[in-house]
Amino acid sequence: MTVPIRASAVLLALGVATGSAANGTLPMPTDTVILTLSGSIQHTNVGDLAHFDRDMLAGLPRVEFTTETIWTEEATTFSGVPLLAVLKHVGAQGSHIVAIAINDYSMEIPMEDLGDYPIIADQVNGAPMSVRDKGPLWIVYPYDQDDSFQTEVIYSRSVWQLGHIRVLP
Ligand SMILES: Nc1nc2c(c(=O)[nH]1)N[C@H]1C(S)=C(S)[C@@H](COP(=O)(O)O)O[C@H]1N2
Ligand SMILES: [Mo]
């Protein structure tokens, strides 16, 4: 019974291509979803949500830096995608985001505080992070580049085991 399945796949593709309803141009994930965005976003791929697998996230423009951190013994190299770039990619329009970890820790960040940093790191020292190592995703700043990145507020926004970002209008 492959014909009905193919037919529905074509309909789904048409729906995405014509941008019907709130559905934007975001492709479907083909692997495990590691990041979900919800709330005030324009480009979705599953209902009202934007689901990203590892490759979809890695395909956005990347940034890498090496920094000392309060969590690591040695300078650590982080690479990933600026949080703001991910938000722009899904057409986020809001005042705040809530970064929610898979252990249910969550922290609000005002949109106006986002710029080149933080990034959503998907690699530490050149390798993906396991959940045990604060992965799969970790919001990080180049802490040792500026005193303003060495505050309790910035540390509290450094959400590890990130899985979900909610955009508040
Ligand atoms: N997933 C997750 N990320 C988190 C936290 C947490 O409990 N869970 N704690 C936050 C807070 S409040 C701070 S100050 C920093 C440092 O936390 P630590 O001192 O417990 O390492 O990590 C932040 N990121
Ligand atoms: Mo904290």
Side-chain angles (χ1 to χ4, degrees), residues 21-44:
N23 226 334
T25 51
L26 218 57
M28 293 293 286
T30 57
D31 199 357
T32 309
V33 173
I34 60 170
L35 179 66
T36 298
L37 287 100
S38 66
S40 184
I41 61 174
Q42 290 178 316
H43 309 308
T44 57

PDB file of all heavy atoms in Angstrom, residues 21-44:
ATOM      1  N   ALA A  21      -1.255  28.127   5.704  1.00  0.00           N
ATOM      2  CA  ALA A  21      -1.403  28.395   7.138  1.00  0.00           C
ATOM      3  C   ALA A  21      -0.112  29.012   7.673  1.00  0.00           C
ATOM      4  O   ALA A  21       0.494  29.851   7.018  1.00  0.00           O
ATOM      5  CB  ALA A  21      -1.766  27.113   7.881  1.00  0.00           C
ATOM      6  N   ALA A  22       0.316  28.581   8.843  1.00  0.00           N
ATOM      7  CA  ALA A  22       1.525  29.161   9.431  1.00  0.00           C
ATOM      8  C   ALA A  22       2.754  28.380   9.004  1.00  0.00           C
ATOM      9  O   ALA A  22       3.841  28.597   9.488  1.00  0.00           O
ATOM     10  CB  ALA A  22       1.413  29.162  10.947  1.00  0.00           C
ATOM     11  N   ASN A  23       2.564  27.436   8.079  1.00  0.00           N
ATOM     12  CA  ASN A  23       3.659  26.552   7.725  1.00  0.00           C
ATOM     13  C   ASN A  23       4.641  27.250   6.782  1.00  0.00           C
ATOM     14  O   ASN A  23       4.284  27.629   5.680  1.00  0.00           O
ATOM     15  CB  ASN A  23       3.096  25.294   7.060  1.00  0.00           C
ATOM     16  CG  ASN A  23       3.713  24.039   7.614  1.00  0.00           C
ATOM     17  OD1 ASN A  23       4.839  24.082   8.103  1.00  0.00           O
ATOM     18  ND2 ASN A  23       2.995  22.949   7.545  1.00  0.00           N
ATOM     19  N   GLY A  24       5.864  27.409   7.211  1.00  0.00           N
ATOM     20  CA  GLY A  24       6.858  28.094   6.416  1.00  0.00           C
ATOM     21  C   GLY A  24       7.681  27.125   5.623  1.00  0.00           C
ATOM     22  O   GLY A  24       7.198  26.069   5.231  1.00  0.00           O
ATOM     23  N   THR A  25       8.917  27.476   5.370  1.00  0.00           N
ATOM     24  CA  THR A  25       9.762  26.724   4.454  1.00  0.00           C
ATOM     25  C   THR A  25      10.696  25.763   5.177  1.00  0.00           C
ATOM     26  O   THR A  25      11.619  25.244   4.574  1.00  0.00           O
ATOM     27  CB  THR A  25      10.610  27.699   3.642  1.00  0.00           C
ATOM     28  OG1 THR A  25      11.262  28.591   4.544  1.00  0.00           O
ATOM     29  CG2 THR A  25       9.749  28.492   2.688  1.00  0.00           C
ATOM     30  N   LEU A  26      10.477  25.557   6.444  1.00  0.00           N
ATOM     31  CA  LEU A  26      11.377  24.702   7.206  1.00  0.00           C
ATOM     32  C   LEU A  26      11.247  23.251   6.758  1.00  0.00           C
ATOM     33  O   LEU A  26      10.141  22.703   6.748  1.00  0.00           O
ATOM     34  CB  LEU A  26      11.010  24.817   8.683  1.00  0.00           C
ATOM     35  CG  LEU A  26      12.117  24.831   9.713  1.00  0.00           C
ATOM     36  CD1 LEU A  26      13.097  25.960   9.441  1.00  0.00           C
ATOM     37  CD2 LEU A  26      11.519  24.950  11.084  1.00  0.00           C
ATOM     38  N   PRO A  27      12.348  22.610   6.376  1.00  0.00           N
ATOM     39  CA  PRO A  27      12.251  21.199   5.994  1.00  0.00           C
ATOM     40  C   PRO A  27      11.949  20.313   7.209  1.00  0.00           C
ATOM     41  O   PRO A  27      12.099  20.740   8.343  1.00  0.00           O
ATOM     42  CB  PRO A  27      13.634  20.890   5.425  1.00  0.00           C
ATOM     43  CG  PRO A  27      14.536  21.928   5.965  1.00  0.00           C
ATOM     44  CD  PRO A  27      13.696  23.140   6.272  1.00  0.00           C
ATOM     45  N   MET A  28      11.529  19.113   6.919  1.00  0.00           N
ATOM     46  CA  MET A  28      11.259  18.158   7.995  1.00  0.00           C
ATOM     47  C   MET A  28      12.561  17.551   8.491  1.00  0.00           C
ATOM     48  O   MET A  28      13.467  17.278   7.696  1.00  0.00           O
ATOM     49  CB  MET A  28      10.375  17.023   7.474  1.00  0.00           C
ATOM     50  CG  MET A  28       8.987  17.455   7.094  1.00  0.00           C
ATOM     51  SD  MET A  28       8.023  17.989   8.529  1.00  0.00           S
ATOM     52  CE  MET A  28       7.669  16.404   9.283  1.00  0.00           C
ATOM     53  N   PRO A  29      12.671  17.314   9.791  1.00  0.00           N
ATOM     54  CA  PRO A  29      13.835  16.576  10.275  1.00  0.00           C
ATOM     55  C   PRO A  29      13.794  15.145   9.764  1.00  0.00           C
ATOM     56  O   PRO A  29      12.717  14.590   9.547  1.00  0.00           O
ATOM     57  CB  PRO A  29      13.675  16.612  11.803  1.00  0.00           C
ATOM     58  CG  PRO A  29      12.235  16.886  12.035  1.00  0.00           C
ATOM     59  CD  PRO A  29      11.729  17.655  10.860  1.00  0.00           C
ATOM     60  N   THR A  30      14.959  14.562   9.542  1.00  0.00           N
ATOM     61  CA  THR A  30      15.018  13.166   9.104  1.00  0.00           C
ATOM     62  C   THR A  30      15.648  12.289  10.168  1.00  0.00           C
ATOM     63  O   THR A  30      15.743  11.073  10.014  1.00  0.00           O
ATOM     64  CB  THR A  30      15.845  13.049   7.804  1.00  0.00           C
ATOM     65  OG1 THR A  30      17.143  13.591   8.029  1.00  0.00           O
ATOM     66  CG2 THR A  30      15.177  13.801   6.662  1.00  0.00           C
ATOM     67  N   ASP A  31      16.097  12.902  11.241  1.00  0.00           N
ATOM     68  CA  ASP A  31      16.769  12.158  12.315  1.00  0.00           C
ATOM     69  C   ASP A  31      16.170  12.617  13.656  1.00  0.00           C
ATOM     70  O   ASP A  31      15.244  13.429  13.675  1.00  0.00           O
ATOM     71  CB  ASP A  31      18.281  12.459  12.233  1.00  0.00           C
ATOM     72  CG  ASP A  31      19.123  11.430  12.972  1.00  0.00           C
ATOM     73  OD1 ASP A  31      18.546  10.513  13.603  1.00  0.00           O
ATOM     74  OD2 ASP A  31      20.355  11.558  12.931  1.00  0.00           O
ATOM     75  N   THR A  32      16.714  12.133  14.740  1.00  0.00           N
ATOM     76  CA  THR A  32      16.214  12.480  16.071  1.00  0.00           C
ATOM     77  C   THR A  32      16.153  13.988  16.262  1.00  0.00           C
ATOM     78  O   THR A  32      17.104  14.700  15.944  1.00  0.00           O
ATOM     79  CB  THR A  32      17.165  11.896  17.148  1.00  0.00           C
ATOM     80  OG1 THR A  32      17.362  10.522  16.858  1.00  0.00           O
ATOM     81  CG2 THR A  32      16.592  12.063  18.538  1.00  0.00           C
ATOM     82  N   VAL A  33      15.039  14.461  16.771  1.00  0.00           N
ATOM     83  CA  VAL A  33      14.868  15.892  17.026  1.00  0.00           C
ATOM     84  C   VAL A  33      15.640  16.255  18.295  1.00  0.00           C
ATOM     85  O   VAL A  33      15.441  15.646  19.348  1.00  0.00           O
ATOM     86  CB  VAL A  33      13.369  16.230  17.179  1.00  0.00           C
ATOM     87  CG1 VAL A  33      13.167  17.674  17.619  1.00  0.00           C
ATOM     88  CG2 VAL A  33      12.642  15.949  15.869  1.00  0.00           C
ATOM     89  N   ILE A  34      16.556  17.242  18.171  1.00  0.00           N
ATOM     90  CA  ILE A  34      17.319  17.642  19.367  1.00  0.00           C
ATOM     91  C   ILE A  34      16.922  19.033  19.861  1.00  0.00           C
ATOM     92  O   ILE A  34      17.268  19.396  20.982  1.00  0.00           O
ATOM     93  CB  ILE A  34      18.850  17.566  19.156  1.00  0.00           C
ATOM     94  CG1 ILE A  34      19.308  18.467  18.017  1.00  0.00           C
ATOM     95  CG2 ILE A  34      19.291  16.125  18.930  1.00  0.00           C
ATOM     96  CD1 ILE A  34      20.831  18.579  17.958  1.00  0.00           C
ATOM     97  N   LEU A  35      16.200  19.786  19.026  1.00  0.00           N
ATOM     98  CA  LEU A  35      15.758  21.119  19.464  1.00  0.00           C
ATOM     99  C   LEU A  35      14.371  21.402  18.906  1.00  0.00           C
ATOM    100  O   LEU A  35      14.118  21.214  17.716  1.00  0.00           O
ATOM    101  CB  LEU A  35      16.739  22.194  18.978  1.00  0.00           C
ATOM    102  CG  LEU A  35      16.375  23.636  19.352  1.00  0.00           C
ATOM    103  CD1 LEU A  35      16.441  23.838  20.871  1.00  0.00           C
ATOM    104  CD2 LEU A  35      17.301  24.635  18.656  1.00  0.00           C
ATOM    105  N   THR A  36      13.488  21.857  19.782  1.00  0.00           N
ATOM    106  CA  THR A  36      12.135  22.257  19.390  1.00  0.00           C
ATOM    107  C   THR A  36      11.952  23.728  19.719  1.00  0.00           C
ATOM    108  O   THR A  36      12.308  24.157  20.820  1.00  0.00           O
ATOM    109  CB  THR A  36      11.086  21.428  20.163  1.00  0.00           C
ATOM    110  OG1 THR A  36      11.254  20.055  19.831  1.00  0.00           O
ATOM    111  CG2 THR A  36       9.677  21.860  19.818  1.00  0.00           C
ATOM    112  N   LEU A  37      11.412  24.494  18.770  1.00  0.00           N
ATOM    113  CA  LEU A  37      11.032  25.875  19.058  1.00  0.00           C
ATOM    114  C   LEU A  37       9.518  25.977  18.998  1.00  0.00           C
ATOM    115  O   LEU A  37       8.881  25.353  18.135  1.00  0.00           O
ATOM    116  CB  LEU A  37      11.678  26.848  18.073  1.00  0.00           C
ATOM    117  CG  LEU A  37      13.176  27.033  18.325  1.00  0.00           C
ATOM    118  CD1 LEU A  37      13.979  26.202  17.365  1.00  0.00           C
ATOM    119  CD2 LEU A  37      13.575  28.493  18.263  1.00  0.00           C
ATOM    120  N   SER A  38       8.968  26.763  19.911  1.00  0.00           N
ATOM    121  CA  SER A  38       7.517  26.921  19.963  1.00  0.00           C
ATOM    122  C   SER A  38       7.186  28.375  20.263  1.00  0.00           C
ATOM    123  O   SER A  38       8.064  29.179  20.542  1.00  0.00           O
ATOM    124  CB  SER A  38       6.926  26.006  21.044  1.00  0.00           C
ATOM    125  OG  SER A  38       7.369  26.428  22.323  1.00  0.00           O
ATOM    126  N   GLY A  39       5.898  28.684  20.198  1.00  0.00           N
ATOM    127  CA  GLY A  39       5.444  30.033  20.544  1.00  0.00           C
ATOM    128  C   GLY A  39       5.378  30.924  19.330  1.00  0.00           C
ATOM    129  O   GLY A  39       4.913  30.512  18.267  1.00  0.00           O
ATOM    130  N   SER A  40       5.897  32.132  19.480  1.00  0.00           N
ATOM    131  CA  SER A  40       5.730  33.170  18.463  1.00  0.00           C
ATOM    132  C   SER A  40       6.759  33.001  17.341  1.00  0.00           C
ATOM    133  O   SER A  40       7.719  33.762  17.234  1.00  0.00           O
ATOM    134  CB  SER A  40       5.870  34.523  19.152  1.00  0.00           C
ATOM    135  OG  SER A  40       5.637  35.557  18.255  1.00  0.00           O
ATOM    136  N   ILE A  41       6.547  31.983  16.501  1.00  0.00           N
ATOM    137  CA  ILE A  41       7.451  31.713  15.371  1.00  0.00           C
ATOM    138  C   ILE A  41       6.632  31.574  14.088  1.00  0.00           C
ATOM    139  O   ILE A  41       5.477  31.150  14.130  1.00  0.00           O
ATOM    140  CB  ILE A  41       8.305  30.440  15.603  1.00  0.00           C
ATOM    141  CG1 ILE A  41       7.444  29.190  15.760  1.00  0.00           C
ATOM    142  CG2 ILE A  41       9.207  30.620  16.822  1.00  0.00           C
ATOM    143  CD1 ILE A  41       8.235  27.890  15.851  1.00  0.00           C
ATOM    144  N   GLN A  42       7.244  31.938  12.964  1.00  0.00           N
ATOM    145  CA  GLN A  42       6.518  31.939  11.687  1.00  0.00           C
ATOM    146  C   GLN A  42       6.791  30.708  10.847  1.00  0.00           C
ATOM    147  O   GLN A  42       5.963  30.320  10.032  1.00  0.00           O
ATOM    148  CB  GLN A  42       6.912  33.177  10.876  1.00  0.00           C
ATOM    149  CG  GLN A  42       6.386  34.469  11.474  1.00  0.00           C
ATOM    150  CD  GLN A  42       6.848  35.670  10.674  1.00  0.00           C
ATOM    151  OE1 GLN A  42       8.012  35.763  10.287  1.00  0.00           O
ATOM    152  NE2 GLN A  42       5.941  36.586  10.415  1.00  0.00           N
ATOM    153  N   HIS A  43       7.965  30.128  10.968  1.00  0.00           N
ATOM    154  CA  HIS A  43       8.327  28.993  10.120  1.00  0.00           C
ATOM    155  C   HIS A  43       8.337  27.718  10.951  1.00  0.00           C
ATOM    156  O   HIS A  43       9.113  27.598  11.899  1.00  0.00           O
ATOM    157  CB  HIS A  43       9.697  29.222   9.477  1.00  0.00           C
ATOM    158  CG  HIS A  43       9.796  30.553   8.800  1.00  0.00           C
ATOM    159  ND1 HIS A  43       8.861  30.981   7.885  1.00  0.00           N
ATOM    160  CD2 HIS A  43      10.681  31.560   8.939  1.00  0.00           C
ATOM    161  CE1 HIS A  43       9.180  32.187   7.470  1.00  0.00           C
ATOM    162  NE2 HIS A  43      10.282  32.573   8.102  1.00  0.00           N
ATOM    163  N   THR A  44       7.452  26.810  10.586  1.00  0.00           N
ATOM    164  CA  THR A  44       7.256  25.594  11.372  1.00  0.00           C
ATOM    165  C   THR A  44       7.367  24.388  10.451  1.00  0.00           C
ATOM    166  O   THR A  44       7.331  24.522   9.223  1.00  0.00           O
ATOM    167  CB  THR A  44       5.866  25.618  12.034  1.00  0.00           C
ATOM    168  OG1 THR A  44       4.871  25.763  11.016  1.00  0.00           O
ATOM    169  CG2 THR A  44       5.736  26.779  13.010  1.00  0.00           C
TER     170      THR A  44
END
